[in-house]
């Protein structure tokens, strides 16, 4: 699949932008703080209805305006599709898919499939667990609407339970209502995450081995905060029991201490934990393998080639990793932001469309 064109109105630092794209490679050039990443953000927004940079939709609206609009047209294997998102500072955003307003964001999923790779992702191995949970959630929300609904409901329930735990007097019967819901949604999340990590570990292991000329073997391990069980019913019951056991600790800390909001992933290369003992080069190779594995998994799950957004990441990779990345991305539409016209990029992508951005405006050559 590929995105054919985009329209931005009052989005970030763009007043009005309209442009079409190359179905293979698009190089987005310009100095820092001109709007290159904002353009990628607008593209990404149409995949899951959320930004990869902020949780506040109001941040996306030009600070001098009250409303922003993003619209893309895309071509898929068997049909075309369009997504239009309108964001108002004082109300909920509205989303149209193929001209029809949708009621839930989950109806947008599995439509425009996008993987984002930024310098922040290069730190996914060594940074805090929250970054790794976001990686799992971002990918699974695209390809599994059931996961998106379960995660959304889990977060709402968790926030309500945590607020109630701060009350002076706790009614156990009221708390139990949230405990039941947390167990229900949390069990689904844990089960789906386990399946996902197993699959992504297989793909990333093969890619990592290829990048390192068979010298290193990568394995991903899911570290759930609640022990894994054999089936969803058993998982739900066990989760509920664990929440009850942690009640005194939760009450003392005034927050929920058990659940998938505490999960993590471990990266092992040749049996060595990369977070604690991996070099920066090894950690970056793990991150690259992980991102390329995302593309493979999406292809397996949807039979579509996902779009890859490379946000100022090429300069962070050494020449060998750059070459591997370029060599393997023959079927995917690419959007690459960079501050300079890199000779290696120009040689590798002679037919790329060049989009120059300055202060929220573009010129094309």
């Amino acid at each position: 699949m590929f995105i054919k064109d985009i329209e931005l109105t009052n989005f970030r630092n763009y007043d009005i932008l309209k442009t079409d794209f190359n179905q293979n490679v698009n190089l987005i050039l310009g100095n820092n703080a001109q709007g290159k990443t904002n353009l990628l953000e607008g593209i990404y927004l149409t995949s899951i209805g959320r930004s990869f940079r902020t949780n506040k939709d109001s941040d996306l609206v030009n600070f001098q305006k009250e409303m922003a609009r993003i619209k893309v047209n895309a071509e898929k294997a068997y049909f075309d599709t369009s997504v239009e998102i309108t964001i108002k500072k004082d109300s909920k955003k509205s989303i149209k898919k193929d001209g029809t307003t949708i009621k839930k964001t989950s109806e947008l999923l599995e439509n425009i499939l996008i993987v984002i790779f930024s310098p922040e992702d290069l730190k996914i191995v060594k940074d805090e667990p929250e970054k790794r949970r976001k990686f799992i959630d971002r990918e699974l929300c695209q390809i599994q609407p059931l996961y998106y609904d379960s995660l959304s409901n889990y977060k709402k329930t968790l926030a309500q339970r945590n607020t109630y735990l701060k009350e002076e007097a706790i009614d156990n019967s009221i708390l139990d209502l949230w405990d039941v819901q947390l167990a229900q949604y949390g069990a689904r999340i844990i089960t789906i995450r386990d399946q996902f990590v197993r699959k992504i570990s297989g793909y990333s292991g093969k890619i990592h081995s290829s990048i390192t000329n068979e010298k290193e073997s990568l394995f991903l391990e899911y570290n759930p905060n609640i022990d894994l069980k054999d089936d969803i019913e058993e998982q739900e019951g066990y989760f509920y029991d664990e929440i009850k056991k942690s009640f005194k600790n939760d009450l003392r800390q005034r927050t929920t201490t058990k659940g998938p909001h505490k999960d993590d992933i471990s990266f092992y290369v040749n049996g060595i934990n990369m977070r604690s003992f991996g070099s920066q080069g090894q950690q970056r190779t793990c991150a690259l393998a992980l991102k390329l594995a995302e593309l493979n998994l999406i292809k397996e799950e949807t039979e579509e080639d996902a779009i890859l957004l490379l946000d100022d990441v090429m300069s962070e990779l050494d020449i060998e990793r750059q070459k591997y990345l370029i060599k393997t991305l023959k079927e995917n539409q690419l959007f690459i932001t960079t501050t300079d016209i890199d000779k290696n990029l120009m040689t590798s992508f002679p037919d790329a469309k060049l989009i120059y951005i300055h202060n929220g405006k573009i010129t094309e050559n």
Side-chain angles (χ1 to χ4, degrees):
M1 70 176 303
F2 66 94
I3 292 176
K4 296 192 288 187
D5 54 62
I6 190 169
E7 281 185 46
L8 298 177
T9 305
N10 302 330
F11 182 81
R12 292 288 195 180
N13 69 327
Y14 291 98
D15 292 325
I16 296 177
L17 177 144
K18 294 182 181 180
T19 188
D20 57 1
F21 296 121
N22 185 307
Q23 70 180 74
N24 300 119
V25 181
N26 301 271
L27 294 179
I28 302 168
L29 303 139
N31 294 327
N32 292 327
Q34 299 304 305
K36 301 189 302 296
T37 300
N38 293 345
L39 178 55
L40 295 194
E41 185 180 29
I43 294 170
Y44 184 84
L45 194 70
T46 60
S47 65
I48 62 173
R50 292 182 178 180
S51 165
F52 60 85
R53 301 162 76 193
T54 179
N55 292 322
K56 294 182 179 180
D57 289 336
S58 59
D59 291 346
L60 307 176
V61 183
N62 188 304
F63 72 94
Q64 297 176 325
K65 307 294 182 179
E66 296 300 317
M67 177 274 294
R69 181 174 290 113
I70 306 95
K71 182 178 181 181
V72 302
N73 293 298
E75 184 173 314
K76 304 184 74 172
Y78 303 108
F79 59 91
D80 289 356
T81 186
S82 67
V83 173
E84 182 177 341
I85 300 176
T86 302
I87 302 168
K88 295 181 180 179
K89 286 184 177 179
D90 57 354
S91 63
K92 190 176 180 181
K93 65 174 171 272
S94 65
I95 303 174
K96 289 184 179 179
K97 176 182 171 183
D98 300 330
T100 301
T101 300
I102 61 175
K103 295 180 179 179
K104 298 192 299 181
T105 302
S106 58
E107 297 177 51
L108 181 64
L109 308 180
E110 296 183 297
N111 188 44
I112 296 178
L113 303 163
I114 295 176
V115 172
I116 175 76
F117 191 15
S118 71
E120 282 299 304
D121 293 309
L122 289 169
K123 298 183 285 187
I124 191 172
V125 177
K126 67 177 181 179
D127 274 7
E128 64 274 10
E130 182 184 4
K131 294 280 181 67
R132 292 180 283 281
R133 289 194 295 270
K134 282 185 176 180
F135 155 71
I136 298 176
D137 293 341
R138 197 159 61 190
E139 181 56 41
L140 280 171
C141 283
Q142 273 201 92
I143 59 178
Q144 294 198 31
L146 173 62
Y147 183 85
Y148 179 92
D149 287 337
S150 297
L151 182 66
S152 179
N153 288 323
Y154 180 86
K155 287 182 175 180
K156 290 176 185 176
T157 304
L158 179 65
Q160 292 169 339
R161 187 180 193 268
N162 285 342
T163 298
Y164 190 64
L165 284 170
K166 294 175 175 61
E167 295 288 331
E168 291 294 327
I170 302 294
D171 185 330
N172 286 338
S173 63
I174 294 176
L175 194 67
D176 189 63
L177 297 174
W178 287 310
D179 292 350
V180 169
Q181 291 180 7
L182 278 184
Q184 178 185 354
Y185 300 129
R188 291 180 195 165
I189 291 169
I190 291 170
T191 301
I192 296 173
R193 280 182 179 177
D194 178 53
Q195 295 168 350
F196 170 78
V197 174
R198 289 173 187 272
K199 285 185 177 181
I200 207 78
S201 178
Y203 279 123
S204 58
K206 292 176 183 177
I207 294 168
H208 189 277
S209 179
S210 180
I211 295 174
T212 60
N213 295 317
E214 319 298 327
K215 294 177 182 177
E216 295 181 348
S217 175
L218 171 65
F219 172 74
L220 272 61
E221 180 181 70
Y222 178 38
N223 309 133
N225 179 255
I226 300 285
D227 290 345
L228 284 165
K229 298 300 173 182
D230 292 334
D231 58 64
I232 191 72
E233 290 80 12
E234 185 182 2
Q235 188 71 67
E236 188 175 329
Y238 183 76
F239 196 138
Y240 179 81
D241 291 341
E242 288 296 294
I243 293 176
K244 292 304 182 186
K245 289 178 185 177
S246 68
F247 170 68
K248 289 183 179 179
N249 190 34
D250 290 356
L251 193 59
R252 183 169 58 253
Q253 297 191 38
R254 301 291 180 177
T255 191
T256 305
T257 58
K258 301 292 288 186
H261 58 290
K262 299 288 186 179
D263 286 354
D264 201 354
I265 309 174
S266 294
F267 296 76
Y268 293 95
V269 171
N270 296 344
I272 298 172
N273 190 314
M274 285 294 99
R275 186 180 186 192
S276 302
F277 304 106
S279 68
Q280 184 182 73
Q282 286 177 314
Q283 291 171 345
R284 291 186 169 206
T285 302
C286 289
L288 175 58
L290 195 62
K291 284 296 167 178
L292 295 177
E294 282 188 71
L295 298 175
N296 289 337
L297 182 59
I298 288 174
K299 179 71 172 180
E300 176 194 321
E301 296 285 331
T302 68
E303 298 184 356
E304 291 279 0
D305 292 303
I307 297 156
L308 180 60
L309 312 181
L310 296 168
D311 186 22
D312 201 25
V313 78
M314 296 299 278
S315 61
E316 300 288 334
L317 299 173
D318 62 30
I319 295 298
E320 290 306 312
R321 290 178 179 83
Q322 284 189 31
K323 287 180 179 178
Y324 184 88
L325 185 63
I326 292 166
K327 181 181 70 175
T328 57
L329 297 173
K330 301 294 185 184
E331 306 300 326
N332 305 85
Q333 185 183 32
L334 305 180
F335 291 85
I336 304 172
T337 66
T338 181
T339 54
D340 300 304
I341 300 179
D342 187 283
K343 290 182 180 179
N344 290 321
L345 284 179
M346 297 305 296
T347 302
S348 301
F349 303 121
D351 299 322
K353 177 170 183 175
L354 305 184
I355 302 173
Y356 297 90
I357 297 186
H358 176 72
N359 197 24
K361 300 184 185 301
I362 67 172
T363 59
E364 301 169 20
N365 291 328

